[in-house]
Amino acid sequence: MMPRLGEKYKDIEIEVISKPIAEYQNDEYFELDLPVAPAVMVGDEIVVEGSNVAQEKVEAVICRCLGMPQPEKKGFLGKLFGR
């Protein structure tokens, strides 16, 4: 999901951090006051933490942060056929 969004929104920098789960479940991590993994943050805003998230939700937050109109929601057939 992130590479596609990075290509679409050139004005954003995407940083993906992946670590073993044991590194997220310790006292030092919780002291950093970071979201519970898995998580997605856009700027300082936590989009989701502790679960998966739909690309549409992440894209809507990116657009809001960039001051752009939010993308139109596509139904099942629109997603299937790229409309």
Side-chain angles (χ1 to χ4, degrees), residues 38-50:
V40 175
M41 293 180 70
V42 176
D44 292 334
E45 181 177 343
I46 298 171
V47 178
V48 68
E49 64 179 314

Side-chain angles (χ1 to χ4, degrees), residues 3-82:
R4 286 191 303 265
L5 291 174
E7 289 176 15
K8 188 172 182 178
Y9 299 99
K10 305 281 187 198
D11 295 341
I12 63 170
E13 178 182 326
I14 295 177
E15 179 181 359
V16 177
I17 300 171
S18 178
K19 297 180 181 183
I21 195 163
E23 290 190 37
Y24 292 109
Q25 295 180 338
N26 61 48
D27 292 337
E28 291 86 20
Y29 181 81
F30 290 111
E31 288 175 7
L32 296 173
D33 199 29
L34 293 172
V36 177
V40 175
M41 293 180 70
V42 176
D44 292 334
E45 181 177 343
I46 298 171
V47 178
V48 68
E49 64 179 314
S51 66
N52 292 327
V53 64
Q55 177 176 327
E56 291 81 14
K57 184 173 182 180
V58 175
E59 189 170 5
V61 174
I62 289 170
C63 289
R64 188 174 64 243
C65 288
L66 293 175
M68 299 172 59
Q70 293 192 11
E72 292 183 25
K73 292 184 179 184
K74 294 182 181 180
F76 175 75
L77 292 177
K79 290 179 185 177
L80 185 64
F81 295 108

